[in-house]
Amino acid sequence: MKKKRIILPTDFSKNSWNAIAYALKVFKDVPCDFFVLNSYQVGASGLSTKMAGANDTRLYNLIKEQSERDLKRELAKIKKLDKNPEHTFITRSLADTLVNAIGKTVYNEEIDYIIMGTKGASGLKEVFMGSNTYKIIKEIDFCPVLAVPDDYETDGKIDSILLATGYEHLFESYELKPVLNFAEHFNAKLWITHVGSLDALTSEQKASKISLEKRLKTINFEFVEVEKDTSVNQTIQNVVDKDNTIDMVVMINQDHSFFERLTREPVIKKVSFNSKVPFLVVHLFE
């Protein structure tokens, strides 16, 4: 893999630390610039008095200092774990919403991936990182997002990747690049999984499947057909449960995808909350 530029958002929780540790292990042999980013907001008091303004400024300074202190501490933890001289770490403390802070950094720094924690399948609450991860997937549609469940541990290898698709699109090579980078670097097998029945494919879907085959010549891949369970999300989770070599689930996100038209199911939202393995969402450039 060429040098990568990666955002690691943090709220200094165990959950976000787990995603950072995951990124460091998976990219251990890849030259990288990592942007360790914390965003914070100071709520407006709603009072336009001088006193309220002064209080807001004081509060802002306190939160800003705390964020910078915590980032310094996080960086020290990272440096203990990561000894690769080709890894550069840049800390960013930004007064903004998480979506804006990440969006601006992606745009200004030409970022390749956003890697962040999400609540694992065992998490009962969709807490900060859980719901924020889905918000990032939805709003930042110009950068791949890799969501790492908070209870997921990696050995630093990726044996196989499940790409769930409805064959709804004629894939371009550059759209598949974020997935191919992982498959090629780790020599991972790519399982292209279609949920439904082969007989039901339209001529457009068949054309998409053929074009996909042409684009994947450089890697080891196989097409798999799976019958839909109660939901597409449940079907994907079943496939992952049955095959413990699958280390990543990938979906290509586009408006009104085949899955969502078919099922009226917000598949990407559900998978981002329920996946037991890291979940990579690649957006289409439409």
Side-chain angles (χ1 to χ4, degrees):
M1 265 195 241
K2 286 191 193 132
K3 187 163 198 182
K4 294 292 164 209
R5 292 169 75 76
I6 296 167
I7 293 180
L8 302 172
T10 180
D11 63 345
F12 312 113
S13 64
K14 177 178 166 286
N15 191 348
S16 56
W17 172 253
N18 188 54
I20 292 172
Y22 171 87
L24 299 181
K25 268 192 185 172
V26 164
F27 288 92
K28 64 180 181 292
D29 303 325
V30 182
C32 291
D33 291 329
F34 290 105
F35 292 81
V36 187
L37 180 149
N38 175 247
S39 76
Y40 55 91
Q41 281 178 285
V42 181
S45 62
L47 300 167
S48 54
T49 62
K50 277 187 183 168
M51 178 72 84
N55 283 342
D56 272 359
T57 304
R58 202 172 300 126
L59 184 59
Y60 169 83
N61 288 334
L62 283 171
I63 295 173
K64 183 180 188 321
E65 284 162 22
Q66 183 70 49
S67 167
E68 287 168 355
R69 254 197 319 273
D70 287 341
L71 276 172
K72 207 178 259 185
R73 213 169 14 237
E74 201 83 337
L75 191 57
K77 264 171 83 179
I78 287 169
K79 293 279 177 72
K80 266 189 194 167
L81 199 64
D82 189 290
K83 303 295 180 196
N84 187 339
E86 291 190 288
H87 283 179
T88 308
F89 297 94
I90 302 109
T91 56
R92 289 275 163 91
S93 172
L94 299 172
D96 213 331
T97 65
L98 188 64
V99 169
N100 285 351
I102 291 176
K104 287 171 188 166
T105 308
V106 167
Y107 186 76
N108 293 333
E109 303 293 348
E110 298 180 350
I111 297 295
D112 295 295
Y113 296 97
I114 300 159
I115 300 180
M116 61 193 295
T118 186
K119 220 47 195 153
S122 60
L124 296 173
K125 286 183 187 157
E126 292 164 0
V127 294
F128 174 84
M129 287 312 262
S131 44
N132 269 298
T133 301
Y134 178 62
K135 207 181 280 177
I136 298 305
I137 289 170
K138 214 168 91 201
E139 303 284 335
I140 313 278
D141 58 1
F142 43 94
C143 184
V145 181
L146 182 57
V148 183
D150 68 342
D151 49 5
Y152 186 79
E153 283 183 36
T154 180
D155 57 4
K157 294 194 293 239
I158 295 176
D159 294 320
S160 62
I161 299 168
L162 184 154
L163 170 62
T165 178
Y167 302 130
E168 64 267 46
H169 172 76
L170 284 169
F171 296 100
E172 298 292 341
S173 299
Y174 64 88
E175 292 167 346
L176 294 166
K177 197 111 193 77
V179 189
L180 294 181
N181 278 341
F182 279 108
E184 287 167 356
H185 180 72
F186 289 98
N187 199 18
K189 173 137 188 189
L190 185 64
W191 296 98
I192 299 145
T193 305
H194 173 251
V195 179
S197 125
L198 249 187
D199 310 335
L201 289 188
T202 64
S203 54
E204 286 87 354
Q205 285 172 306
K206 284 174 186 160
S208 167
K209 189 178 176 186
I210 291 162
S211 105
L212 201 49
E213 208 163 347
K214 286 180 188 158
R215 305 257 182 248
L216 300 174
K217 289 215 167 113
T218 56
I219 62 160
N220 179 10
F221 71 93
E222 207 170 305
F223 289 108
V224 186
E225 299 294 321
V226 290
E227 285 297 325
K228 187 164 85 73
D229 196 325
T230 48
S231 68
V232 176
N233 164 51
Q234 192 52 56
T235 310
I236 292 168
Q237 303 315 329
N238 292 349
V239 175
V240 172
D241 286 344
K242 282 181 195 146
D243 184 348
N244 62 8
T245 69
I246 294 172
D247 297 306
M248 185 181 286
V249 170
V250 182
M251 288 183 80
I252 311 285
N253 189 26
Q254 67 177 139
D255 288 340
H256 314 303
S257 75
F258 165 80
F259 286 141
E260 303 197 359
R261 285 202 309 273
L262 183 74
T263 59
R264 303 205 174 281
E265 177 192 349
V267 178
I268 285 184
K269 182 175 190 178
K270 286 195 174 176
V271 176
S272 71
F273 283 130
N274 294 293
S275 186
K276 296 183 177 84
V277 298
F279 176 44
L280 176 66
V281 180
V282 181
H283 298 276
L284 290 186
F285 303 99
E286 289 186 317

